[in-house]
Amino acid sequence: SDAAKEMMQFLASTYDLPFEKAEQASWYNEQAQLALFDGNLSEVAHMANKALKFAPAWTAPRNNYAHALYFNGKYMQAIGEAERVLKDDPDNIHGLNNLVIFHTGMSHEDKASEYADRLFELSSEYEKDAIRYGGKGLRAGFSYPYRCARPLQKAAEKRDRA
């Protein structure tokens, strides 16, 4: 389709890739996404890693890869991948979201709060209200378990007091 071709061209130009490599990276990333929906984390890691071989700077498969690593028990490697996303794109909401979840899960409350503050600042007003009153961010389909929502809610409370 024309939309798919435009997306490949955008990916190729953004990451300075030949069209064919962008197409391959996109296919592998799509497979990673499908595996994520199926809950097949080892396949997510495998396919996202293949996408990264074609487009190493592309943040979408790196976020998927970090997610899969974390939930496969490779916590520090997952954090490293998510931090690399932020090195390349400091305002990447998926990378920030991953780091809130990862650090919360590892009981690193200070780090979780630091990333939650940044994520909260990037959120729309609608998302900020959702975080304040229910622990859910709606912009990218984020849904936080209560424990992960607390750093975001604390960020909202800090801003409300300021």
Side-chain angles (χ1 to χ4, degrees):
S1 78
D2 288 342
K5 188 175 180 180
E6 283 179 34
M7 191 198 94
M8 300 300 157
Q9 288 171 333
F10 175 78
L11 181 62
S13 67
T14 300
Y15 296 104
D16 195 26
L17 301 170
F19 184 84
E20 296 75 26
K21 282 193 177 199
E23 192 172 38
Q24 290 171 309
S26 183
W27 186 86
Y28 283 117
N29 189 57
E30 186 174 328
Q31 297 308 303
Q33 284 291 126
L34 292 171
L36 186 61
F37 293 137
D38 288 340
N40 185 346
L41 295 175
S42 61
E43 187 69 3
V44 172
H46 177 72
M47 289 297 172
N49 197 31
K50 284 193 166 272
L52 290 169
K53 294 211 184 301
F54 292 101
W58 190 17
T59 58
R62 190 159 312 280
N63 278 319
N64 289 335
Y65 186 55
H67 179 90
L69 289 170
Y70 180 81
F71 288 102
N72 278 323
K74 297 178 180 176
Y75 308 123
M76 298 314 293
Q77 190 179 353
I79 287 172
E81 292 294 333
E83 287 175 344
R84 183 169 172 190
V85 166
L86 295 186
K87 182 177 171 246
D88 294 340
D89 180 6
D91 293 339
N92 187 286
I93 60 172
H94 300 289
L96 288 166
N97 181 62
N98 276 343
L99 286 163
V100 170
I101 292 169
F102 300 170
H103 284 293
T104 299
M106 295 176 69
S107 298
H108 300 161
E109 300 303 327
D110 289 343
K111 284 301 258 182
S113 291
E114 175 188 325
Y115 290 115
D117 287 346
R118 288 174 57 191
L119 182 60
F120 187 79
E121 287 304 313
L122 294 169
S123 300
S124 69
E125 286 306 312
Y126 181 70
E127 290 172 296
K128 288 176 183 177
D129 286 343
I131 290 166
R132 281 184 185 101
Y133 303 114
K136 293 190 177 198
L138 305 174
R139 179 167 161 206
F142 293 155
S143 179
Y144 305 99
Y146 175 77
R147 189 164 177 237
C148 294
R150 277 309 296 150
L152 289 169
Q153 289 171 329
K154 286 180 183 178
E157 291 164 6
K158 274 194 253 183
R159 297 303 178 273
D160 289 345
R161 285 192 301 268

